[in-house]
Amino acid sequence: SLPCDVYAAAGTPCVAAHSMVRALYSSYSGSLYQVQRASDGVTANIGLLATGGYANAAAQNSFCAGTTCIVTRIYDQSSKHNDLTVEGAGGAGAADVGAPADALPVTVGGHQVYGLEISAGMGYRDNSTSGVATNGAAEGMYMVTSGTHVNGSCCFDYGNAETNNKDTGNGHMDAINFGTECWFSPCYGSGPWVQADLENGLFESNLGYSTNSSSTGTGAIPFVTALLKNNGQDHFALKWGNAQSGGLTTTYSGGEPSTSSGYSPMHQEGAIVLGTGGDNSNGSIGSFFEGVMTSGIPTDAADDAVQSNIVSVGYGGATGSTGSLDSASEISLKATTSCCTTDYVRHQNNAGVLSAITSSSSALDKNDATWIVRPGLASSSCVSFESRNYPGDYLRHYNYKIYRQPMDGTTTYRQDATFCPTAGKSGTGTSFASYNYPTKYLRHYNYNLYIASDGGSNAWDSATSWTDDVSWAVSSPWAP
Ligand code: AHR
Ligand code: AHR
């Protein structure tokens, strides 16, 4: 059973069911989301390949070919029609913009689909809902998000919020928050944490701060199930799990916040927010794949069944194609200079570097050295390299140095992350010209990575061994 089938059978039906990637009811056959293209402003609905199935991303690819698209609406699959649209101005943030539709390609259920990649200034909302909890009613909610695309700014939320985009006081929100913002000290570990945004605070317990020293966060895992339930009166609970394997862990289950008034009972207003705080505080970043809200508190057994279904779907599975520059092929890029023929392009501490990888390297090192070839973000006749273990992050240059960073939808980012393959300058392998600096090529120099010209003012433009340093062997991926 799919998540909303599970919750319906448990007597706590979905009153909102949003997904970029798949149906959340086995009977759902409608649209998942709407995109709008930049070239002519026309919109198109993106639906499913089959009833109860996966997103028809090919329809998006053909509609958006030769231009760019943003996501303008996320349909509610429940009968309540609580669709999310781009959020307007609020008490703490100017009107948001739509997320780029092609930023977060992932494999789900063996299909190439797109998640939603939220950068600062992006968010979605529905201020006029039906069926969503208000004024102390009970509700549950979960989302599938990512532990690799987070920050410490307010507030990457999914759930219940104010109907006027303003902070109207304690208890007027009941939303999952996910990120590294520690509102009430202490928080244990370095996060990111699943917290409850109940307004005027991100809560890990009735005392605000974490009372659970084993709740150190999810770490940088690419797919996370984040869950909150709240009876609206005197109890809330937080859980999380790895969306690729295993079950859910409860990090808190207990009373409503007691350190200031307004949370017991709750005063939810019933709007739905995605990607910002209740007052449209929108400095946060995050990823969203699917999420639901229920009427009533789901049983733990229902939550477990939903997590099993999420795991069974296979978020982030292999694309099934390797070793070439074709779209969706998984590769590693090996240096060809004589110094370095067992060295590969990998990311480390957010930078692109060259390092030795062998069959006995750790899984982390192998994942860091694996890239998924995507159509060039600035031009589909070139390529971009999406990180295998940081979905929606790509290799890009900045001040001519290479980094792994999240795709933010800007024209500069698109260009900086686009490389045009050509025959290897040394006569072997492949060289990659920068799209926006076409005389500069992807190069290793002192084990760092740059875009470099053959002679020039920067140290990394050195003509010595330039042709070898810019010639790469497109190889089988290190990651399984
Ligand atoms: O509760 C945390 C944040 O505080 C809310 O999301 C926002 O409305 C307020 O700024
Ligand atoms: O890397 C060169 C330029 O540096 C990039 O185009 C831009 O992002 C930054 O200013």
Side-chain angles (χ1 to χ4, degrees):
S1 301
L2 299 185
C4 289
D5 303 328
V6 170
Y7 283 138
T12 51
C14 294
V15 291
H18 302 112
S19 176
M20 298 292 294
V21 304
R22 64 170 182 146
L24 297 170
Y25 296 86
S26 43
S27 60
Y28 189 69
S29 60
S31 296
L32 293 180
Y33 60 94
Q34 180 193 68
V35 296
Q36 181 178 41
R37 63 186 173 202
S39 54
D40 58 6
V42 174
T43 60
N45 289 332
I46 306 303
L48 296 161
L49 292 168
T51 299
Y54 295 88
N56 183 1
Q60 175 184 321
N61 294 342
S62 65
F63 180 75
C64 303
T67 181
T68 58
C69 283
I70 58 170
V71 176
T72 42
R73 180 178 287 261
I74 304 169
Y75 288 98
D76 174 14
Q77 300 178 29
S78 87
S79 59
K80 305 298 184 186
H81 302 297
N82 294 320
D83 300 349
L84 299 171
T85 56
V86 178
E87 186 171 354
D96 293 295
V97 298
D102 59 341
L104 182 48
V106 290
T107 307
V108 182
H111 297 274
Q112 291 298 300
V113 296
Y114 293 99
L116 187 74
E117 177 133 306
I118 298 274
S119 298
M122 296 174 185
Y124 293 82
R125 196 137 177 156
D126 181 6
N127 282 339
S128 176
T129 63
S130 153
V132 177
T134 57
N135 281 321
E139 61 184 340
M141 63 198 78
Y142 83 85
M143 69 169 156
V144 177
T145 181
S146 176
T148 59
H149 181 225
V150 293
N151 70 7
S153 297
C154 181
C155 285
F156 185 74
D157 289 348
Y158 175 69
N160 200 319
E162 293 91 344
T163 54
N164 66 355
N165 294 13
K166 292 183 177 153
D167 178 350
T168 54
N170 295 352
H172 286 245
M173 293 183 69
D174 180 29
I176 304 163
N177 176 265
F178 189 66
T180 53
E181 182 170 22
C182 181
W183 195 290
F184 301 108
S185 268
C187 301
Y188 292 99
S190 51
W193 302 279
V194 177
Q195 307 184 91
D197 187 345
L198 306 180
E199 191 51 279
N200 298 314
L202 306 179
F203 292 86
E204 291 198 79
S205 76
N206 59 319
L207 301 176
Y209 58 82
S210 180
T211 53
N212 175 358
S213 62
S214 62
S215 175
T216 54
T218 71
I221 58 173
F223 300 98
V224 171
T225 307
L227 190 146
L228 164 66
K229 44 195 187 182
N230 194 326
N231 75 3
Q233 299 295 314
D234 59 8
H235 188 271
F236 78 101
L238 293 164
K239 303 182 186 183
W240 74 272
N242 183 334
Q244 294 181 304
S245 64
L248 297 169
T249 299
T250 300
T251 55
Y252 177 74
S253 179
E256 304 281 10
S258 56
T259 49
S260 54
S261 62
Y263 300 105
S264 183
M266 295 283 291
H267 302 281
Q268 309 103 305
E269 297 188 17
I272 304 173
V273 69
L274 169 59
T276 74
D279 58 5
N280 190 25
S281 293
N282 58 6
S284 51
I285 66 174
S287 302
F288 178 85
F289 300 97
E290 61 177 73
V292 314
M293 299 172 69
T294 65
S295 170
I297 290 249
T299 60
D300 290 333
D303 294 340
D304 291 344
V306 166
Q307 167 69 359
S308 302
N309 174 261
I310 292 166
V311 169
S312 75
V313 151
Y315 266 92
T319 64
S321 158
T322 60
S324 79
L325 289 175
D326 294 341
S327 188
S329 179
E330 303 193 30
I331 63 166
S332 289
L333 279 177
K334 184 163 66 166
T336 63
T337 315
S338 59
C339 60
C340 303
T341 55
T342 56
D343 294 340
Y344 292 80
V345 171
R346 62 89 58 93
H347 65 86
Q348 194 162 44
N349 300 325
N350 307 320
V353 298
L354 189 74
S355 59
I357 308 285
T358 69
S359 54
S360 52
S361 295
S362 70
L364 180 70
D365 290 344
K366 288 177 177 173
N367 277 308
D368 288 353
T370 300
W371 307 92
I372 308 173
V373 177
R374 300 297 184 186
L377 289 164
S379 164
S380 59
S381 35
C382 301
V383 299
S384 291
F385 299 109
E386 186 190 16
S387 166
R388 183 69 177 81
N389 54 353
Y390 282 64
D393 278 25
Y394 299 77
L395 285 177
R396 64 88 56 99
H397 64 85
Y398 188 87
N399 284 338
Y400 313 108
K401 194 173 174 343
I402 301 289
Y403 298 88
R404 187 214 77 236
Q405 287 179 354
M407 156 63 174
D408 63 10
T410 61
T411 300
T412 300
Y413 184 100
R414 287 181 178 279
Q415 295 184 350
D416 291 355
T418 299
F419 299 89
C420 301
T422 185
K425 294 290 175 185
S426 67
T428 186
T430 306
S431 291
F432 298 97
S434 161
Y435 175 83
N436 46 350
Y437 293 85
T439 61
K440 296 179 186 290
Y441 289 78
L442 179 67
R443 180 200 191 155
H444 64 92
Y445 182 82
N446 278 345
Y447 299 93
N448 288 313
L449 299 174
Y450 301 89
I451 53 166
S453 52
D454 186 4
S457 51
N458 304 301
W460 57 82
D461 295 324
S462 166
T464 305
S465 81
W466 184 88
T467 54
D468 290 343
D469 292 352
V470 300
S471 297
W472 300 92
V474 175
S475 307
S476 297
W478 276 112

